[in-house]
Amino acid sequence: MTRFTIHPIHTDFAAEIFDIDLSKKQSSADVNLIKEAFWKYAVLVFPDQKLSLDQHVDFATLFGPIEMNVNTYQEEVKKHRFDYRVSDISNLDEEDNILAENSRKRMSGLANRLWHTDSIFRHQPALASALYALTVVPIGGKTEFADTRAAWDALPDITKNKIDKLIVEHSIFHSRAKIGFTNFTEKEKAALPPSRQVLVRNIPESHRKALYIASHAMRIIGMSDLEGVALLDELMAHATQPQFIYSHRWRVGDLVIWDNRCTMHRGTDYDEKRFKRDMRRATVSDIGNTVELAY
Ligand code: OGA
Ligand code: MN
């Protein structure tokens, strides 16, 4: 029997799901209801969860195969607090102490403060991310989400027609450089070459279109760098207006899953020298490269 309840936060963006225990195996009817809500709302908040790493990963796997975290290319950045199935989204070192000011892991994490969607810089990007809160901070440290379907809907037709078929090049090193973090080794750079993705996605489950952009975006194929960057900046500013945003204030035990195909997100500031913030993220792979899927 299905008992959980869905409380929309906005009409069709972000919903909270109560009375469900994600540590248990869900019936296939419940899985379908969760997925339906996910396609509709794009961000789902599940409060009060108690999840082992395996249970967290099992839940994420309902949406597709798990993407390996980026430790593979940044051995020095992340000392492995968790295994390759989840990303360490914390300000802690391997002994659970607050990271030193100059730590590479800290620098890398700071890039999450820029609007982005996870793994757009990989050839095969991420479909969904499921972030689970183990330790939260008393003030700040929220995560903001932008609905890029609503942002697409609100564009004038002239812009929609202009951008509909464009392709964008993305690189993780581009967003890292924006926060002044540039000292990557050749090996690290070679492991994550730039990716190409469509600028506008069709989301089959909702039959909606979405802007597919992030701070990782470097240039638009076939446009001068100047023109491409100006257009990307304009679209980012458009998509992150307050009417498209849900801001999540974390509680211990929150599991938030979002659709990376049609949202952007960013972390917000907190006193990271004073407070511990500990989250881990399981990330689900998309079905392929968006340019290859679209043509
Ligand atoms: C992430 C992310 C932001 C935050 O986990 O992918 O960008 O608030 N997190 O920690
Ligand atoms: Mn992220």
Side-chain angles (χ1 to χ4, degrees):
M1 195 182 72
T2 302
R3 288 176 299 127
F4 61 82
T5 51
I6 301 175
H7 290 242
I9 294 165
H10 297 293
T11 319
D12 53 12
F13 183 50
E16 225 171 343
I17 316 256
F18 293 100
D19 308 313
I20 186 168
D21 179 354
L22 297 182
S23 70
K24 306 235 159 69
K25 189 172 156 40
Q26 308 301 319
S27 69
S28 59
D30 283 359
V31 170
N32 286 338
L33 287 173
I34 294 169
K35 285 187 177 174
E36 251 174 55
F38 186 61
W39 309 135
K40 180 171 164 75
Y41 296 104
V43 178
L44 298 181
V45 177
F46 296 90
D48 278 332
Q49 302 300 319
K50 286 194 180 55
L51 300 175
S52 67
L53 197 148
D54 283 340
Q55 289 163 341
H56 178 183
V57 168
D58 284 349
F59 173 68
T61 305
L62 295 175
F63 295 84
I66 298 297
E67 172 191 286
M68 296 226 295
N69 69 29
V70 286
N71 289 341
T72 34
Y73 84 98
Q74 46 180 202
E75 292 140 33
E76 305 156 67
V77 177
K78 307 234 172 178
K79 297 271 174 43
H80 309 259
R81 291 175 68 239
F82 306 123
D83 70 42
Y84 68 91
R85 297 172 299 166
V86 290
S87 297
D88 181 0
I89 310 292
S90 76
N91 62 337
L92 306 176
D93 67 17
E94 64 281 15
E95 270 134 35
D96 284 352
N97 295 316
I98 289 181
L99 292 168
E101 173 104 42
N102 62 352
S103 116
R104 296 191 87 211
K105 179 176 168 186
R106 177 175 169 273
M107 295 291 287
S108 188
L110 276 180
N112 279 345
R113 304 277 173 89
L114 305 176
W115 284 108
H116 66 283
T117 183
D118 292 330
S119 298
I120 196 172
F121 52 81
R122 296 191 192 218
H123 183 71
Q124 180 157 337
L127 190 151
S129 296
L131 187 59
Y132 180 55
L134 299 157
T135 305
V136 303
V137 296
I139 183 163
K142 294 181 181 181
T143 306
E144 298 183 325
F145 295 91
D147 183 352
T148 64
R149 303 165 306 179
W152 163 265
D153 291 345
L155 285 172
D157 283 346
I158 187 162
T159 312
K160 286 182 175 165
N161 293 335
K162 176 177 166 186
I163 68 173
D164 200 10
K165 294 282 179 270
L166 294 177
I167 292 171
V168 181
E169 197 165 77
H170 300 269
S171 168
I172 189 173
F173 303 108
H174 185 67
S175 50
R176 297 295 183 268
K178 285 184 182 168
I179 57 152
F181 185 24
T182 50
N183 62 333
F184 293 97
T185 65
E186 289 311 313
K187 187 180 160 220
E188 286 171 332
K189 285 188 197 153
L192 281 173
S195 73
R196 287 186 179 195
Q197 309 291 353
V198 297
L199 177 54
V200 180
R201 294 196 70 160
N202 291 301
I203 311 298
E205 296 84 0
S206 60
H207 307 289
R208 294 185 69 180
K209 283 189 164 193
L211 287 174
Y212 194 46
I213 45 176
S215 304
H216 309 296
M218 280 195 299
R219 63 191 187 99
I220 296 179
I221 307 302
M223 267 190 203
S224 71
D225 283 359
L226 203 69
E227 210 188 342
V229 168
L231 179 54
L232 288 165
D233 283 352
E234 208 176 297
L235 293 173
M236 289 293 283
H238 168 76
T240 55
Q241 295 175 85
Q243 65 268 36
F244 305 131
I245 308 292
Y246 164 63
S247 180
H248 185 68
R249 184 174 183 279
W250 290 94
R251 300 149 296 194
V252 169
D254 279 350
L255 182 292
V256 179
I257 183 165
W258 62 86
D259 189 336
N260 280 302
R261 303 172 304 173
C262 57
T263 59
M264 283 195 285
H265 60 278
R266 67 169 177 187
T268 65
D269 192 36
Y270 65 98
D271 190 342
E272 36 165 358
K273 290 196 203 89
R274 185 170 177 195
F275 301 123
K276 293 184 176 180
R277 183 177 189 264
D278 192 5
M279 317 256 198
R280 63 171 188 232
R281 191 187 85 205
T283 315
V284 178
S285 285
D286 208 334
I287 57 174
N289 173 267
T290 58
V291 177
E292 290 168 8
L293 288 170
Y295 294 95

